[in-house]
Amino acid sequence: MAVIAVAMGASASYAAEGRRVSLGWQTACGVDPGGISRSGGAYVFHKSSNHCSGGIFKQRSQVNSGNIPVNRQVSYAFDTTVSMKASQSNDFILFQIHDGRLGCSPPMSLRWTGSNTFRFDSDYTRGKGMAGCVENRVLRGAGYHGPSLRRDGTPYHLHVTLAFDGQGGFDVSVQINGRGVLSGRYQPSSDPQFISSKRFYMSHGVYSQKPFDYEMRSVGMQVLRVG
């Protein structure tokens, strides 16, 4: 099994285990000029208007992966080092497992909150835009057990492990600097009123309801096949 070290400066390093895979990252729906750039091994994200349709979020600067089949039993780890510079404490979405729905929260969003913690967002959808959303309280209720996150450019090694069960559900575990801080499980609803996911894909960047000025860097971003 390959072991990949992620540098965090002179004082610390963290290792991510697994086999690196390519999921074909692309810009999500387009961005304003300067919204996403590449610098060496880093993605650099800045404020952009939301070029995707649906929902109430006005700001989006994200990249999306290729599709992950819903009926495939597989485990992946999303691994990167992120740093945020912003003078405002706006909530934003940092990472998602999406299924292409419009309006409602996807199966899993990792939110960097205004109080500088992480939490999960998750909805079930009837496919009727925002009017068809029902909160998935199980995943939303997961507790955060980590540090207060800083927006002064401090780097954090982010490691998100995802174990897809091949039946539309998955376990998710989030680590910061090698420490587990948040975990839960997305279980699709058995209620036929809700639409079943036909595909999954990953999204990473900055996605927020209100626009704000920022620079977020994501260094060494990779997806690993684990287990």
Side-chain angles (χ1 to χ4, degrees), residues 5 9 33 36 52 54 67 73 86 99 101 116 129 140 153 169 174 177 188 192 219:
I36 300 176
C52 298
N67 290 337
Q73 187 174 354
D99 60 0
R101 66 183 62 178
N116 292 314
R140 285 176 177 266
V174 180
N177 296 348
V219 180

Side-chain angles (χ1 to χ4, degrees), residues 2-212:
V3 179
I4 297 125
V6 180
M8 290 291 293
S11 61
S13 64
Y14 303 92
E17 296 186 355
R19 178 173 58 85
R20 186 168 183 169
V21 297
S22 176
L23 293 183
W25 295 92
Q26 296 184 344
T27 301
C29 306
V31 292
D32 296 344
I36 300 176
S37 61
R38 297 292 299 275
S39 177
Y43 280 92
V44 183
F45 301 91
H46 290 99
K47 180 176 69 173
S48 172
S49 55
N50 185 1
H51 292 247
C52 298
S53 59
I56 59 174
F57 280 34
K58 303 301 183 183
Q59 191 284 141
R60 185 195 297 261
S61 183
Q62 288 182 309
V63 291
N64 290 345
S65 78
N67 290 337
I68 301 168
V70 171
N71 60 357
R72 186 179 183 189
Q73 187 174 354
V74 63
S75 293
Y76 289 122
F78 174 81
D79 190 90
T80 193
T81 297
V82 295
S83 58
M84 168 61 83
K85 289 184 178 180
S87 60
Q88 296 172 278
S89 57
N90 299 62
D91 283 28
F92 67 93
I93 302 299
L94 177 64
F95 178 76
Q96 296 176 304
I97 296 297
H98 218 300
D99 60 0
R101 66 183 62 178
L102 298 176
C104 302
S105 291
M108 188 280 291
S109 292
L110 181 63
R111 178 183 292 267
W112 185 320
T113 71
S115 56
N116 292 314
T117 64
F118 281 158
R119 80 162 196 246
F120 291 131
D121 289 353
S122 180
D123 282 351
Y124 299 117
T125 178
R126 301 184 187 93
K128 300 177 180 178
M130 298 300 295
C133 308
V134 174
E135 291 187 350
N136 175 5
R137 297 186 181 277
V138 173
L139 195 52
R140 285 176 177 266
Y144 176 75
H145 305 284
S148 178
L149 303 169
R150 302 179 68 174
R151 302 185 186 215
D152 60 359
T154 298
Y156 297 101
H157 177 220
L158 175 68
H159 190 81
V160 183
T161 303
L162 300 146
F164 297 93
D165 63 11
Q167 298 179 357
F170 54 86
D171 294 308
V172 53
S173 178
V174 180
Q175 293 182 358
I176 299 176
N177 296 348
R179 173 187 172 187
V181 297
L182 188 65
S183 63
R185 175 169 176 76
Y186 175 76
Q187 185 67 43
S189 176
S190 60
D191 190 328
Q193 72 173 309
F194 297 117
I195 294 174
S196 299
S197 300
K198 300 297 188 296
R199 61 181 175 125
F200 290 136
Y201 58 90
M202 300 181 188
S203 293
H204 175 50
V206 180
Y207 181 38
S208 60
Q209 186 170 348
K210 297 180 179 180
F212 66 101

